[in-house]
Amino acid sequence: MSESAPDLTSPSRVRGAPLLVTAEMPPDIFSWADALRRAHFPPERNRLKAHVTLFHALPPSVEDELIDLLIELAKAPPPEARISGLMKLGKGTALDVESPGVVELHGVIQDRMDGLMTKQDEQKLRLHITIQNKVSPEEAKALQAALEPTLEHKQFRFYGFGLYYYVDGLWDHRKTFPFRG
């Protein structure tokens, strides 16, 4: 009897799973950032695509309220953003992202979820796209030195919000909420 991969789309599989919220990048920025992640993230640990996480673990009990809120917030125009440089993570490297509009929208969600968030999600938001993690500090510094002189400070607009279930270290896509304003 062969073992099959777990069915992450099964309702019973995701029931009770923490919820993640992302700021979804447009295809060109996503492709560029994901290529950097694939090139520099240790392959044995790279189980996700490039992403901008807004919330890491909201309780499953808020799913309906969160969906309603994301639908409402997505009526806004797509927030402007800019890759502004590199973020040093000690044992990794990220692309630093500036977007006052997304920070403001994040604050609205934080206010609504007050008292329901993990400590990590209660912290001040530092938008970034991790392209390398869990390497030696020397490896991280070497990548930063190599990328810094050539890194493009790209301007873009976020596409929408992404909602995911966190199941066994992987993300199961629930829904995307495109900005419409």
Side-chain angles (χ1 to χ4, degrees):
M1 177 184 231
S2 66
E3 241 182 88
S4 61
D7 180 6
L8 295 180
T9 61
S10 163
S12 63
R13 182 92 176 126
V14 297
R15 188 175 299 124
L19 303 168
L20 290 110
V21 179
T22 62
E24 296 289 300
M25 297 172 269
D28 61 328
I29 298 297
F30 168 76
S31 295
W32 170 74
D34 197 51
L36 284 171
R37 184 179 173 98
R38 285 191 319 271
H40 302 293
F41 209 100
E44 68 280 2
R45 292 188 178 120
N46 193 13
R47 299 176 69 192
L48 301 171
K49 295 191 180 290
H51 55 275
V52 178
T53 306
L54 301 180
F55 293 93
H56 298 84
L58 293 172
S61 60
V62 303
E63 184 173 355
D64 291 339
E65 180 182 0
L66 182 59
I67 287 172
D68 290 344
L69 180 57
L70 294 175
I71 288 169
E72 187 62 32
L73 294 177
K75 291 178 182 176
E80 292 182 10
R82 178 173 97 91
I83 304 294
S84 59
L86 295 176
M87 183 182 287
K88 298 171 182 175
L89 304 177
K91 293 184 175 186
T93 303
L95 303 172
D96 196 3
V97 180
E98 292 178 0
S99 179
V102 166
V103 171
E104 184 178 327
L105 293 169
H106 175 266
V108 172
I109 299 168
Q110 265 188 327
D111 287 347
R112 183 73 68 87
M113 299 294 139
D114 188 40
L116 301 170
M117 295 176 287
T118 63
K119 286 186 181 188
Q120 183 179 23
D121 286 337
E122 288 176 342
Q123 293 177 4
K124 181 181 175 191
L125 183 63
R126 292 178 59 206
L127 293 171
H128 64 280
I129 305 164
T130 303
I131 59 170
Q132 178 195 53
N133 204 3
K134 298 179 182 169
V135 298
S136 71
E138 295 76 26
E139 267 185 276
K141 287 176 186 174
L143 177 59
Q144 292 154 15
L147 285 181
E148 206 144 33
T150 60
L151 184 69
E152 295 178 54
H153 292 218
K154 296 177 179 274
Q155 302 275 349
F156 64 98
R157 289 183 177 271
F158 279 104
Y159 172 76
F161 293 110
L163 179 62
Y164 298 82
Y165 298 111
Y166 183 80
V167 181
D168 296 334
L170 297 174
W171 296 12
D172 183 30
H173 182 255
R174 167 68 168 90
K175 188 166 178 64
T176 300
F177 305 86
F179 290 110
R180 296 192 229 166

